[in-house]
Amino acid sequence: MQTLLQAAAMVPASIPSPDWSGFDIPLPWGTLRIHAYALCILAGIVAGLWLTSARWAKRGAPEGSVWDIVVWAIPFGIIGGRLYHVVSSPDAYFGPGFDGTGDLSLIPQIQRGGLGIWGAVVLGVVGAWIGCRRSGVKLSAFLDAAAPGLLLAQAVGRWGNWFNQELFGGPTTLPWGLQIDADNANFPAGVPADTLFHPTFLYESLWNLAGVVILLALDRKFNFRRSRLFWLYAMYYTLGRVWIEAMRIDDAEQISLFGITTRLNVWTSIFVFLAALAAFILLGRKKRTEPDSVYLDGRKPAEKQEAEPDKNAVSASGDPVRDADSVVSDSESRDNLPDNQSGSRRASVPTEEAEAAPAGPKPGPDATAAGSSGSTATGTAPEAGATK
């Protein structure tokens, strides 16, 4: 027991600030700085792609199509995330009140931090749509496969905020309070140097990891399709983002609606949640009228179409097309009937024999009776010819 108490006493009563934020690669013309923030984003992308590719393959998607899609989705998502951040936190780039005192050269410097998830998702979906169209697959099917991977990527990428010592919450005395260097530019003015802050990056990372497990479990149970799992992802993420965003104390655009003034991202989370809830309900009320396939209409490979014949197909005469194997099997079963049930079996006799028979005088009454049996055979002869 004493050993456990000593070990517990050695555990820090706070989360320390990182003493490492990246490394330099020497080059002939200088050095290339590799930021820890960028490495976290990259690690998140890799983790999300791993989960997405595994789920995408299980849905019967064409091999390699996930890479054809993400090669469009990732660049679009990064650009969209950066643009949203610039618009939602414009002071550093355009100056307070857009007075022109900002530094526009900071806009492309994403290694310093600043990616808005809303812009990343919106433009990322646009890029995914382009990739899906080129690959001949449905965007809705890909979004369902990618939803848990998106949360996993966000859970890993959030650790970049810890390395940058940014986007933390208000002061706290909790044992998991976050230390921020007093000389860091993000340290709040007028606050004691030993103040601890809420580690909102950790809250969001844990929230997202729990969401990955929840989405996978719900999808296994309900088998969501038509992008319903993606809208469920949007609802879950925004539900957590509302309370986590409200804890932050960094500078952000304040919006007043319904007599309430709060951060822009809080309002955005609320509206996205409501829109996602509506989409999830409406898609659930709509009955499935098409087969569960990841392919766009007319883009399914020929071998898959042959393996899944269309049961609604009709012949040129308007009759339903019967499976060839079942017709042949039915014909063979009639050949095995006893002679006293040969009315159906005679249908397999070639019609050429009847054509080769010499024309005789008009048949009498006895011959007419025999002819009725012959008419039964000729009446079924076209069916036998159709099975050849």
Side-chain angles (χ1 to χ4, degrees), residues 1 13 50 55 59 78 120 125 136 165 170 175 190 192 206 264 311 326 329 332 343:
M1 178 62 70
W50 165 76
R55 288 173 49 80
R59 296 207 170 189
I78 292 176
V125 168
Q165 300 191 50
L206 295 176
L264 171 62
K311 296 181 179 180
S326 63
S329 176
E332 291 174 353

mmCIF file with all atom_site columns, all heavy atoms in Angstrom, residues 1 13 50 55 59 78 120 125 136 165 170 175 190 192 206 264 311 326 329 332 343:
data_model
loop_
_atom_site.group_PDB
_atom_site.id
_atom_site.type_symbol
_atom_site.label_atom_id
_atom_site.label_alt_id
_atom_site.label_comp_id
_atom_site.label_asym_id
_atom_site.label_entity_id
_atom_site.label_seq_id
_atom_site.pdbx_PDB_ins_code
_atom_site.Cartn_x
_atom_site.Cartn_y
_atom_site.Cartn_z
_atom_site.occupancy
_atom_site.B_iso_or_equiv
_atom_site.pdbx_formal_charge
_atom_site.auth_seq_id
_atom_site.auth_comp_id
_atom_site.auth_asym_id
_atom_site.auth_atom_id
_atom_site.pdbx_PDB_model_num
ATOM 1   N N   . MET A 1 1   ? 0.823   -1.205  0.000   1.00 0.00 ? 1   MET A N   1
ATOM 2   C CA  . MET A 1 1   ? 0.000   0.000   0.000   1.00 0.00 ? 1   MET A CA  1
ATOM 3   C C   . MET A 1 1   ? 0.860   1.259   0.000   1.00 0.00 ? 1   MET A C   1
ATOM 4   O O   . MET A 1 1   ? 0.576   2.234   -0.680  1.00 0.00 ? 1   MET A O   1
ATOM 5   C CB  . MET A 1 1   ? -0.933  -0.018  1.215   1.00 0.00 ? 1   MET A CB  1
ATOM 6   C CG  . MET A 1 1   ? -1.807  1.227   1.319   1.00 0.00 ? 1   MET A CG  1
ATOM 7   S SD  . MET A 1 1   ? -2.940  1.435   -0.090  1.00 0.00 ? 1   MET A SD  1
ATOM 8   C CE  . MET A 1 1   ? -4.060  0.079   0.230   1.00 0.00 ? 1   MET A CE  1
ATOM 9   N N   . ALA A 1 13  ? 0.341   16.400  -10.709 1.00 0.00 ? 13  ALA A N   1
ATOM 10  C CA  . ALA A 1 13  ? -1.031  16.852  -10.467 1.00 0.00 ? 13  ALA A CA  1
ATOM 11  C C   . ALA A 1 13  ? -1.517  17.765  -11.575 1.00 0.00 ? 13  ALA A C   1
ATOM 12  O O   . ALA A 1 13  ? -2.478  18.503  -11.394 1.00 0.00 ? 13  ALA A O   1
ATOM 13  C CB  . ALA A 1 13  ? -1.105  17.561  -9.127  1.00 0.00 ? 13  ALA A CB  1
ATOM 14  N N   . TRP A 1 50  ? -6.771  4.407   -42.470 1.00 0.00 ? 50  TRP A N   1
ATOM 15  C CA  . TRP A 1 50  ? -6.696  2.971   -42.163 1.00 0.00 ? 50  TRP A CA  1
ATOM 16  C C   . TRP A 1 50  ? -8.079  2.411   -41.849 1.00 0.00 ? 50  TRP A C   1
ATOM 17  O O   . TRP A 1 50  ? -8.490  1.378   -42.396 1.00 0.00 ? 50  TRP A O   1
ATOM 18  C CB  . TRP A 1 50  ? -5.755  2.748   -40.980 1.00 0.00 ? 50  TRP A CB  1
ATOM 19  C CG  . TRP A 1 50  ? -5.892  1.384   -40.384 1.00 0.00 ? 50  TRP A CG  1
ATOM 20  C CD1 . TRP A 1 50  ? -5.414  0.206   -40.874 1.00 0.00 ? 50  TRP A CD1 1
ATOM 21  C CD2 . TRP A 1 50  ? -6.612  1.052   -39.182 1.00 0.00 ? 50  TRP A CD2 1
ATOM 22  N NE1 . TRP A 1 50  ? -5.782  -0.847  -40.050 1.00 0.00 ? 50  TRP A NE1 1
ATOM 23  C CE2 . TRP A 1 50  ? -6.509  -0.350  -39.017 1.00 0.00 ? 50  TRP A CE2 1
ATOM 24  C CE3 . TRP A 1 50  ? -7.310  1.810   -38.238 1.00 0.00 ? 50  TRP A CE3 1
ATOM 25  C CZ2 . TRP A 1 50  ? -7.096  -1.003  -37.927 1.00 0.00 ? 50  TRP A CZ2 1
ATOM 26  C CZ3 . TRP A 1 50  ? -7.888  1.152   -37.163 1.00 0.00 ? 50  TRP A CZ3 1
ATOM 27  C CH2 . TRP A 1 50  ? -7.771  -0.240  -37.022 1.00 0.00 ? 50  TRP A CH2 1
ATOM 28  N N   . ARG A 1 55  ? -13.210 -0.409  -43.751 1.00 0.00 ? 55  ARG A N   1
ATOM 29  C CA  . ARG A 1 55  ? -14.668 -0.425  -43.850 1.00 0.00 ? 55  ARG A CA  1
ATOM 30  C C   . ARG A 1 55  ? -15.137 -0.337  -45.302 1.00 0.00 ? 55  ARG A C   1
ATOM 31  O O   . ARG A 1 55  ? -16.119 -0.967  -45.692 1.00 0.00 ? 55  ARG A O   1
ATOM 32  C CB  . ARG A 1 55  ? -15.252 0.740   -43.042 1.00 0.00 ? 55  ARG A CB  1
ATOM 33  C CG  . ARG A 1 55  ? -15.157 0.545   -41.544 1.00 0.00 ? 55  ARG A CG  1
ATOM 34  C CD  . ARG A 1 55  ? -15.598 1.798   -40.792 1.00 0.00 ? 55  ARG A CD  1
ATOM 35  N NE  . ARG A 1 55  ? -16.864 2.331   -41.264 1.00 0.00 ? 55  ARG A NE  1
ATOM 36  C CZ  . ARG A 1 55  ? -18.059 1.858   -40.918 1.00 0.00 ? 55  ARG A CZ  1
ATOM 37  N NH1 . ARG A 1 55  ? -18.136 0.821   -40.099 1.00 0.00 ? 55  ARG A NH1 1
ATOM 38  N NH2 . ARG A 1 55  ? -19.164 2.408   -41.374 1.00 0.00 ? 55  ARG A NH2 1
ATOM 39  N N   . ARG A 1 59  ? -17.482 -3.205  -47.757 1.00 0.00 ? 59  ARG A N   1
ATOM 40  C CA  . ARG A 1 59  ? -18.742 -2.867  -48.431 1.00 0.00 ? 59  ARG A CA  1
ATOM 41  C C   . ARG A 1 59  ? -18.714 -3.226  -49.915 1.00 0.00 ? 59  ARG A C   1
ATOM 42  O O   . ARG A 1 59  ? -19.634 -2.896  -50.655 1.00 0.00 ? 59  ARG A O   1
ATOM 43  C CB  . ARG A 1 59  ? -19.046 -1.386  -48.258 1.00 0.00 ? 59  ARG A CB  1
ATOM 44  C CG  . ARG A 1 59  ? -19.274 -1.006  -46.806 1.00 0.00 ? 59  ARG A CG  1
ATOM 45  C CD  . ARG A 1 59  ? -20.155 0.193   -46.648 1.00 0.00 ? 59  ARG A CD  1
ATOM 46  N NE  . ARG A 1 59  ? -20.541 0.376   -45.243 1.00 0.00 ? 59  ARG A NE  1
ATOM 47  C CZ  . ARG A 1 59  ? -21.445 1.246   -44.834 1.00 0.00 ? 59  ARG A CZ  1
ATOM 48  N NH1 . ARG A 1 59  ? -22.089 1.989   -45.717 1.00 0.00 ? 59  ARG A NH1 1
ATOM 49  N NH2 . ARG A 1 59  ? -21.749 1.363   -43.565 1.00 0.00 ? 59  ARG A NH2 1
ATOM 50  N N   . ILE A 1 78  ? -8.120  20.318  -46.296 1.00 0.00 ? 78  ILE A N   1
ATOM 51  C CA  . ILE A 1 78  ? -7.123  21.195  -45.665 1.00 0.00 ? 78  ILE A CA  1
ATOM 52  C C   . ILE A 1 78  ? -7.366  22.647  -46.066 1.00 0.00 ? 78  ILE A C   1
ATOM 53  O O   . ILE A 1 78  ? -7.322  23.562  -45.231 1.00 0.00 ? 78  ILE A O   1
ATOM 54  C CB  . ILE A 1 78  ? -5.700  20.745  -46.045 1.00 0.00 ? 78  ILE A CB  1
ATOM 55  C CG1 . ILE A 1 78  ? -5.401  19.379  -45.407 1.00 0.00 ? 78  ILE A CG1 1
ATOM 56  C CG2 . ILE A 1 78  ? -4.674  21.778  -45.599 1.00 0.00 ? 78  ILE A CG2 1
ATOM 57  C CD1 . ILE A 1 78  ? -4.053  18.806  -45.799 1.00 0.00 ? 78  ILE A CD1 1
ATOM 58  N N   . ALA A 1 120 ? -13.240 22.174  -43.208 1.00 0.00 ? 120 ALA A N   1
ATOM 59  C CA  . ALA A 1 120 ? -12.565 20.957  -43.664 1.00 0.00 ? 120 ALA A CA  1
ATOM 60  C C   . ALA A 1 120 ? -13.575 19.914  -44.118 1.00 0.00 ? 120 ALA A C   1
ATOM 61  O O   . ALA A 1 120 ? -13.381 19.247  -45.144 1.00 0.00 ? 120 ALA A O   1
ATOM 62  C CB  . ALA A 1 120 ? -11.685 20.402  -42.541 1.00 0.00 ? 120 ALA A CB  1
ATOM 63  N N   . VAL A 1 125 ? -15.899 17.080  -48.372 1.00 0.00 ? 125 VAL A N   1
ATOM 64  C CA  . VAL A 1 125 ? -16.988 16.341  -49.014 1.00 0.00 ? 125 VAL A CA  1
ATOM 65  C C   . VAL A 1 125 ? -17.052 16.679  -50.500 1.00 0.00 ? 125 VAL A C   1
ATOM 66  O O   . VAL A 1 125 ? -17.320 15.807  -51.338 1.00 0.00 ? 125 VAL A O   1
ATOM 67  C CB  . VAL A 1 125 ? -18.329 16.647  -48.316 1.00 0.00 ? 125 VAL A CB  1
ATOM 68  C CG1 . VAL A 1 125 ? -19.499 16.123  -49.135 1.00 0.00 ? 125 VAL A CG1 1
ATOM 69  C CG2 . VAL A 1 125 ? -18.346 16.023  -46.927 1.00 0.00 ? 125 VAL A CG2 1
ATOM 70  N N   . GLY A 1 136 ? -16.806 5.985   -59.979 1.00 0.00 ? 136 GLY A N   1
ATOM 71  C CA  . GLY A 1 136 ? -18.058 5.298   -60.262 1.00 0.00 ? 136 GLY A CA  1
ATOM 72  C C   . GLY A 1 136 ? -18.754 4.751   -59.031 1.00 0.00 ? 136 GLY A C   1
ATOM 73  O O   . GLY A 1 136 ? -19.486 3.765   -59.123 1.00 0.00 ? 136 GLY A O   1
ATOM 74  N N   . GLN A 1 165 ? 0.372   24.630  -27.620 1.00 0.00 ? 165 GLN A N   1
ATOM 75  C CA  . GLN A 1 165 ? -0.106  25.331  -26.419 1.00 0.00 ? 165 GLN A CA  1
ATOM 76  C C   . GLN A 1 165 ? -1.189  26.353  -26.788 1.00 0.00 ? 165 GLN A C   1
ATOM 77  O O   . GLN A 1 165 ? -1.086  27.542  -26.481 1.00 0.00 ? 165 GLN A O   1
ATOM 78  C CB  . GLN A 1 165 ? 1.052   26.010  -25.680 1.00 0.00 ? 165 GLN A CB  1
ATOM 79  C CG  . GLN A 1 165 ? 2.126   25.038  -25.211 1.00 0.00 ? 165 GLN A CG  1
ATOM 80  C CD  . GLN A 1 165 ? 3.125   25.676  -24.272 1.00 0.00 ? 165 GLN A CD  1
ATOM 81  O OE1 . GLN A 1 165 ? 2.750   26.333  -23.297 1.00 0.00 ? 165 GLN A OE1 1
ATOM 82  N NE2 . GLN A 1 165 ? 4.405   25.483  -24.543 1.00 0.00 ? 165 GLN A NE2 1
ATOM 83  N N   . GLY A 1 170 ? -10.631 27.651  -19.666 1.00 0.00 ? 170 GLY A N   1
ATOM 84  C CA  . GLY A 1 170 ? -10.402 28.585  -18.575 1.00 0.00 ? 170 GLY A CA  1
ATOM 85  C C   . GLY A 1 170 ? -9.613  27.972  -17.432 1.00 0.00 ? 170 GLY A C   1
ATOM 86  O O   . GLY A 1 170 ? -9.316  26.774  -17.419 1.00 0.00 ? 170 GLY A O   1
ATOM 87  N N   . PRO A 1 175 ? -6.902  18.127  -10.967 1.00 0.00 ? 175 PRO A N   1
ATOM 88  C CA  . PRO A 1 175 ? -5.566  17.517  -11.048 1.00 0.00 ? 175 PRO A CA  1
ATOM 89  C C   . PRO A 1 175 ? -5.087  17.301  -12.477 1.00 0.00 ? 175 PRO A C   1
ATOM 90  O O   . PRO A 1 175 ? -3.890  17.063  -12.674 1.00 0.00 ? 175 PRO A O   1
ATOM 91  C CB  . PRO A 1 175 ? -5.737  16.191  -10.304 1.00 0.00 ? 175 PRO A CB  1
ATOM 92  C CG  . PRO A 1 175 ? -7.202  15.927  -10.313 1.00 0.00 ? 175 PRO A CG  1
ATOM 93  C CD  . PRO A 1 175 ? -7.867  17.257  -10.278 1.00 0.00 ? 175 PRO A CD  1
ATOM 94  N N   . GLY A 1 190 ? -2.585  38.991  -17.369 1.00 0.00 ? 190 GLY A N   1
ATOM 95  C CA  . GLY A 1 190 ? -3.121  39.266  -16.045 1.00 0.00 ? 190 GLY A CA  1
ATOM 96  C C   . GLY A 1 190 ? -3.437  38.033  -15.236 1.00 0.00 ? 190 GLY A C   1
ATOM 97  O O   . GLY A 1 190 ? -4.131  38.133  -14.207 1.00 0.00 ? 190 GLY A O   1
ATOM 98  N N   . PRO A 1 192 ? -1.911  34.650  -13.045 1.00 0.00 ? 192 PRO A N   1
ATOM 99  C CA  . PRO A 1 192 ? -0.668  34.165  -12.420 1.00 0.00 ? 192 PRO A CA  1
ATOM 100 C C   . PRO A 1 192 ? 0.015   33.104  -13.263 1.00 0.00 ? 192 PRO A C   1
ATOM 101 O O   . PRO A 1 192 ? -0.634  32.303  -13.946 1.00 0.00 ? 192 PRO A O   1
ATOM 102 C CB  . PRO A 1 192 ? -1.155  33.594  -11.088 1.00 0.00 ? 192 PRO A CB  1
ATOM 103 C CG  . PRO A 1 192 ? -2.414  34.344  -10.794 1.00 0.00 ? 192 PRO A CG  1
ATOM 104 C CD  . PRO A 1 192 ? -3.051  34.610  -12.120 1.00 0.00 ? 192 PRO A CD  1
ATOM 105 N N   . LEU A 1 206 ? -10.799 12.595  -26.274 1.00 0.00 ? 206 LEU A N   1
ATOM 106 C CA  . LEU A 1 206 ? -11.478 11.476  -25.621 1.00 0.00 ? 206 LEU A CA  1
ATOM 107 C C   . LEU A 1 206 ? -12.925 11.355  -26.090 1.00 0.00 ? 206 LEU A C   1
ATOM 108 O O   . LEU A 1 206 ? -13.442 10.242  -26.274 1.00 0.00 ? 206 LEU A O   1
ATOM 109 C CB  . LEU A 1 206 ? -11.427 11.645  -24.098 1.00 0.00 ? 206 LEU A CB  1
ATOM 110 C CG  . LEU A 1 206 ? -10.027 11.579  -23.469 1.00 0.00 ? 206 LEU A CG  1
ATOM 111 C CD1 . LEU A 1 206 ? -10.100 11.853  -21.969 1.00 0.00 ? 206 LEU A CD1 1
ATOM 112 C CD2 . LEU A 1 206 ? -9.384  10.224  -23.731 1.00 0.00 ? 206 LEU A CD2 1
ATOM 113 N N   . LEU A 1 264 ? -18.678 32.008  -32.362 1.00 0.00 ? 264 LEU A N   1
ATOM 114 C CA  . LEU A 1 264 ? -19.211 31.601  -33.655 1.00 0.00 ? 264 LEU A CA  1
ATOM 115 C C   . LEU A 1 264 ? -19.284 30.087  -33.767 1.00 0.00 ? 264 LEU A C   1
ATOM 116 O O   . LEU A 1 264 ? -20.275 29.539  -34.281 1.00 0.00 ? 264 LEU A O   1
ATOM 117 C CB  . LEU A 1 264 ? -18.338 32.171  -34.785 1.00 0.00 ? 264 LEU A CB  1
ATOM 118 C CG  . LEU A 1 264 ? -18.625 31.658  -36.196 1.00 0.00 ? 264 LEU A CG  1
ATOM 119 C CD1 . LEU A 1 264 ? -20.039 32.024  -36.635 1.00 0.00 ? 264 LEU A CD1 1
ATOM 120 C CD2 . LEU A 1 264 ? -17.596 32.213  -37.191 1.00 0.00 ? 264 LEU A CD2 1
ATOM 121 N N   . LYS A 1 311 ? -33.729 -9.803  -61.761 1.00 0.00 ? 311 LYS A N   1
ATOM 122 C CA  . LYS A 1 311 ? -34.925 -10.627 -61.686 1.00 0.00 ? 311 LYS A CA  1
ATOM 123 C C   . LYS A 1 311 ? -36.116 -9.962  -62.358 1.00 0.00 ? 311 LYS A C   1
ATOM 124 O O   . LYS A 1 311 ? -37.125 -10.607 -62.614 1.00 0.00 ? 311 LYS A O   1
ATOM 125 C CB  . LYS A 1 311 ? -35.261 -10.915 -60.218 1.00 0.00 ? 311 LYS A CB  1
ATOM 126 C CG  . LYS A 1 311 ? -34.198 -11.743 -59.507 1.00 0.00 ? 311 LYS A CG  1
ATOM 127 C CD  . LYS A 1 311 ? -34.596 -12.024 -58.084 1.00 0.00 ? 311 LYS A CD  1
ATOM 128 C CE  . LYS A 1 311 ? -33.545 -12.865 -57.383 1.00 0.00 ? 311 LYS A CE  1
ATOM 129 N NZ  . LYS A 1 311 ? -33.909 -13.154 -55.989 1.00 0.00 ? 311 LYS A NZ  1
ATOM 130 N N   . SER A 1 326 ? -32.669 -23.314 -64.289 1.00 0.00 ? 326 SER A N   1
ATOM 131 C CA  . SER A 1 326 ? -33.920 -23.857 -63.774 1.00 0.00 ? 326 SER A CA  1
ATOM 132 C C   . SER A 1 326 ? -34.754 -24.456 -64.891 1.00 0.00 ? 326 SER A C   1
ATOM 133 O O   . SER A 1 326 ? -35.439 -25.452 -64.704 1.00 0.00 ? 326 SER A O   1
ATOM 134 C CB  . SER A 1 326 ? -34.706 -22.759 -63.051 1.00 0.00 ? 326 SER A CB  1
ATOM 135 O OG  . SER A 1 326 ? -35.063 -21.743 -63.964 1.00 0.00 ? 326 SER A OG  1
ATOM 136 N N   . SER A 1 329 ? -33.208 -27.807 -65.842 1.00 0.00 ? 329 SER A N   1
ATOM 137 C CA  . SER A 1 329 ? -33.483 -28.776 -64.793 1.00 0.00 ? 329 SER A CA  1
ATOM 138 C C   . SER A 1 329 ? -34.933 -29.242 -64.857 1.00 0.00 ? 329 SER A C   1
ATOM 139 O O   . SER A 1 329 ? -35.234 -30.411 -64.687 1.00 0.00 ? 329 SER A O   1
ATOM 140 C CB  . SER A 1 329 ? -33.189 -28.145 -63.426 1.00 0.00 ? 329 SER A CB  1
ATOM 141 O OG  . SER A 1 329 ? -33.535 -29.015 -62.403 1.00 0.00 ? 329 SER A OG  1
ATOM 142 N N   . GLU A 1 332 ? -35.287 -31.677 -67.761 1.00 0.00 ? 332 GLU A N   1
ATOM 143 C CA  . GLU A 1 332 ? -34.732 -32.995 -67.483 1.00 0.00 ? 332 GLU A CA  1
ATOM 144 C C   . GLU A 1 332 ? -35.643 -33.792 -66.566 1.00 0.00 ? 332 GLU A C   1
ATOM 145 O O   . GLU A 1 332 ? -35.784 -35.006 -66.699 1.00 0.00 ? 332 GLU A O   1
ATOM 146 C CB  . GLU A 1 332 ? -33.351 -32.838 -66.843 1.00 0.00 ? 332 GLU A CB  1
ATOM 147 C CG  . GLU A 1 332 ? -32.315 -32.287 -67.823 1.00 0.00 ? 332 GLU A CG  1
ATOM 148 C CD  . GLU A 1 332 ? -31.009 -32.011 -67.118 1.00 0.00 ? 332 GLU A CD  1
ATOM 149 O OE1 . GLU A 1 332 ? -30.999 -32.124 -65.871 1.00 0.00 ? 332 GLU A OE1 1
ATOM 150 O OE2 . GLU A 1 332 ? -30.030 -31.696 -67.791 1.00 0.00 ? 332 GLU A OE2 1
ATOM 151 N N   . GLY A 1 343 ? -47.119 -37.023 -71.872 1.00 0.00 ? 343 GLY A N   1
ATOM 152 C CA  . GLY A 1 343 ? -47.612 -35.867 -72.609 1.00 0.00 ? 343 GLY A CA  1
ATOM 153 C C   . GLY A 1 343 ? -46.663 -34.705 -72.517 1.00 0.00 ? 343 GLY A C   1
ATOM 154 O O   . GLY A 1 343 ? -46.413 -34.012 -73.482 1.00 0.00 ? 343 GLY A O   1
#
